[in-house]
Amino acid sequence: MKVALNESSLLEVPCDALILAVHPEVVSEAEGLLDSSLAGAISARRSADKLRTDRGEMTSFFPAESGGPDRITLVGTGENDLDGIGLRRLFAGAIRNLVSEGVRSVAADLTVPGFDGDTTAPITEGCFLGGYRFTGYKKDDDDPAALESLTLGFIDASSDVSSLEPAIERSRILAEATAAARDLGNEPGNVLTPSEFARRALKMSEELGLESESYDEEALEKMGMGALLGVARGSEEPAHVVKMEYDPGIEGAPTLVLIGKGLTFDSGGISIKSSQGMHEMKMDMGGAAAVFGAMMAIANLRPTQVRVIGYIGAVENMPDGRATKPGDVLTACDGTSVEVINTDAEGRLVVGDLVAHAVKTHDVDWIVDVATLTGAVMVALGNQAAGVISSDDGLFDAISRAGDRVGERYWRLPAYEEYREDLKSEIADIKNSGARYAGAITGGLFIGSFRGETPWAHLDIAGVAWTDKAGGLDPVGATGFGARTLAVLADTLSPVEAE
Ligand code: BES
Ligand code: MN
Ligand code: ZN
C-alpha cells in the first residue's frame, strides 16, 4: 500500500474517501471547514441531534463538485476517552467498512477531538492494518479488495506536517511487518511448505541486509536436533530452520533471540486430529510468521542497542509409516531425552530444540519464543490475549509494554514449579505432554526446560493468531499477531535491562 503525507488541504486530494473523526460534543476546526465545504450539512445534523458520533458510527456525504474526495466520511469517537489502541481500532474498522464498499484510496485527517496525544502513529497503523486483504487464489481478478493508497494530513492547510514524517514511516514499517506475517499465515500448506518458508525468509533477509543461514535436514542432523527432526519424520516435506541476524554495529550489544514455531501444517501426526477444523492448522506457523515480520521491521527500524537473532523452525507434522509414534523417545541437541506421549504436542519439540540450540551457540541475554502452542490457552484466555510463561519479570514487563504500544495484549500465566511434575517421564528426562489441566502452562514449561539460566519468555499465540470474524485491527484469517510487539521490544530493550 502507498502511504503519503500531504501538505495542502486534504479537501484538494483526489481520493475515494476522506475520513475525519467526530466527537459527540467537541467540534474540531477541521469539522467546521468540512461543514462549510458541505454547505452546512454537518452542523445541520448536529443541531438536529442526528449526527452519528458513537464509537465507530459512520456517516458519509457525497460532495457535488469533483476533483477532491468522492465521499466524506465522519467516524464517531464516542464519549469515552480513546486510548492509542482504541484509536487504531476505530480507524481500522472504518477502513474495513469503506473497503467493503469499494473504496480503494483514502485520505485521513489526523485531528481527533478528545484524544490526548499524538494521533499520527495510531491512525497510520489503524488505516494500514484495516486496509489489509490477503491476495488470495480466486480467479476473478477484481479481487483482492485491499486499500491501495493512504494519504495522511489535515483538512486545515495551515498545519505543518513535515514533523510527522518519522512517525508515519515507523508506523508503515510496523504495519508492513504485520501484513507480511498475515500473508504467510494465510498461505495454504501446499504453497507455504517448510522449504518455501525458508526461501521466503532468506529472500527477505537478503533484500533487507540481514545475515542469514538456512539449515536443511542434513545440517539439523549434525546439529543433533533430534526432537525437531522427530516431528518432521512423517512428512514428505523436509524440515528447514532459518537463522536471521540483525547486527546493530556496536561492540558488546546484548543479544535478543526470537524463536518461532513454524508448523506449516499440523495434522497431529500419528495422534491425528479430528477432521473438524483441521484445515485451520495451516496457521500453525503463526509464531514463525511473527518472527519473520519482526525481523523485517527490525532490519528497517535499525535499533541501536541490541543484536537480534531470529529463528524460524519450519516443519510439517504428518502421519506416515516412518512417522514418530506415541511412546518413541527423541533426543534434543542438548542431550535431553524426550518421551513422546502425544505426537500432536509437536510445537514444543520444535521450539524446545531451537531454544537449546540458541543457548548452546550464542551468548544470549534474552530468549523469546512465539508459538501457536496449545488449545488450552484458548480455553483460558479466548482470543483477546496471548498467554505468557516467563522466567523473568523485567522481560515480561518489556513485552507487555511493547504490546500496549501496538495494541497486542499479553497475559502472564503462573509457572509454579509444581506444574513440572506433570512432565516427568518414567523412562526419559521429560515427556512432551502432561495431564489434562493447565495445558498452556505445562506446554510453556516444557520449552522453558531447555533455556538453562537464560532469561526467557514464551508467548502462546494459539488464540490470537487466527480469527474467523473481522474485528479490532484484524481481517478474517491470519492476524499477524506478535510481529509488531517483537519489533518494538527489540527497539526498546536496552543493555541496562540485560544486567
Ligand atoms: N497447533 C496445536 C495448538 C493449536 C490449537 C493452535 C488450536 C491453534 C489452534 C498444537 O500443536 C496442539 O496440537 N496442541 C495440543 C497439545 C496436547 C496434545 C498436549 C492441544 O492443544 O491439544
Ligand atoms: Mn499439534
Ligand atoms: Zn501445532
Side-chain angles (χ1 to χ4, degrees), residues 266 273 344 346:
D266 176 17
K273 290 179 182 294
D344 198 10
E346 83 298 335

Side-chain angles (χ1 to χ4, degrees), residues 177-202:
T178 300
R182 287 177 180 174
D183 280 344
L184 290 165
N186 286 321
E187 285 288 16
N190 62 332
V191 173
L192 195 78
T193 57
S195 35
E196 175 62 14
F197 203 165
R199 256 195 302 281
R200 292 193 192 187
L202 291 174

Side-chain angles (χ1 to χ4, degrees), residues 199-219:
R199 256 195 302 281
R200 292 193 192 187
L202 291 174
K203 179 162 175 269
M204 181 276 286
S205 300
E206 172 148 12
E207 281 169 5
L208 299 181
L210 297 170
E211 284 288 335
S212 60
E213 201 171 338
S214 169
Y215 308 88
D216 62 11
E217 289 198 339
E218 200 184 318

Side-chain angles (χ1 to χ4, degrees), residues 9-238:
S9 168
L10 290 182
L11 280 170
E12 288 156 22
V13 173
C15 58
D16 296 338
L18 164 62
I19 307 186
L20 175 71
V22 289
H23 190 274
E25 274 114 41
V26 189
V27 179
S28 64
E29 275 178 42
E31 183 182 323
L33 290 170
L34 265 191
D35 189 44
S36 335
S37 87
L38 292 167
I42 303 175
S43 50
R45 288 197 183 218
R46 271 214 188 262
S47 36
D49 218 9
K50 279 190 177 151
L51 191 66
R52 292 157 52 78
T53 53
D54 282 356
R55 176 84 49 93
E57 283 187 334
M58 294 166 67
T59 314
S60 286
F61 299 89
F62 295 84
E65 65 273 30
S66 56
D70 286 348
R71 83 165 87 180
I72 289 171
T73 299
L74 306 180
V75 185
T77 60
E79 266 322 329
N80 300 333
D81 285 348
L82 263 181
D83 58 6
I85 296 184
L87 188 52
R88 281 172 175 81
R89 292 185 171 175
L90 183 67
F91 274 75
I95 297 281
R96 264 200 310 275
N97 269 322
L98 290 170
V99 166
S100 73
E101 290 181 20
V103 166
R104 297 291 173 269
S105 56
V106 160
D109 190 298
L110 295 167
T111 311
V112 181
F115 182 80
D116 200 17
D118 191 349
T119 60
T120 314
I123 291 183
T124 309
E125 282 174 42
C127 289
F128 209 108
L129 294 169
Y132 170 88
R133 288 295 173 285
F134 180 57
T135 313
Y137 291 90
K138 288 176 191 277
K139 75 170 156 320
D140 297 348
D141 50 13
D142 49 358
D143 269 352
L147 188 64
E148 287 159 13
S149 98
L150 173 64
T151 306
L152 298 155
F154 298 94
I155 291 164
D156 178 357
S158 66
S159 318
D160 178 25
V161 294
S162 57
S163 63
L164 305 177
E165 193 85 60
I168 290 177
E169 179 57 6
R170 185 182 157 84
S171 300
R172 187 188 62 77
I173 287 169
L174 290 172
E176 277 188 342
T178 300
R182 287 177 180 174
D183 280 344
L184 290 165
N186 286 321
E187 285 288 16
N190 62 332
V191 173
L192 195 78
T193 57
S195 35
E196 175 62 14
F197 203 165
R199 256 195 302 281
R200 292 193 192 187
L202 291 174
K203 179 162 175 269
M204 181 276 286
S205 300
E206 172 148 12
E207 281 169 5
L208 299 181
L210 297 170
E211 284 288 335
S212 60
E213 201 171 338
S214 169
Y215 308 88
D216 62 11
E217 289 198 339
E218 200 184 318
L220 293 167
E221 198 83 58
K222 287 205 187 100
M223 288 149 70
M225 313 275 295
L228 183 149
L229 287 168
V231 177
R233 268 186 74 86
S235 173
E236 293 288 326
E237 296 288 347

Side-chain angles (χ1 to χ4, degrees), residues 223-227 331-336 352-358 360 450:
M223 288 149 70
M225 313 275 295
T331 307
C333 70
D334 65 351
T336 302
D353 219 348
L354 283 170
V355 168
H357 171 73
K360 216 163 76 171
F450 295 91

Side-chain angles (χ1 to χ4, degrees), residues 261 266 273 281 284 342 344 346 372-375 378 462:
K261 170 177 172 182
D266 176 17
K273 290 179 182 294
M281 283 301 126
D284 207 17
N342 189 321
D344 198 10
E346 83 298 335
T372 47
L373 204 78
T374 64
M378 305 168 78

Side-chain angles (χ1 to χ4, degrees), residues 329 336-342 348 416-435 441-443 445-446 449:
V329 173
T336 302
S337 58
V338 184
E339 183 184 10
V340 177
I341 300 299
N342 189 321
R348 61 198 72 184
Y416 306 131
E417 274 304 310
E418 287 83 347
Y419 289 115
R420 271 180 215 284
E421 293 290 317
D422 269 9
L423 296 173
K424 287 209 167 127
S425 161
E426 293 293 329
I427 63 158
D429 296 322
I430 193 167
K431 62 183 183 185
N432 80 329
S433 134
I441 297 172
T442 50
L445 286 174
F446 179 93
S449 70

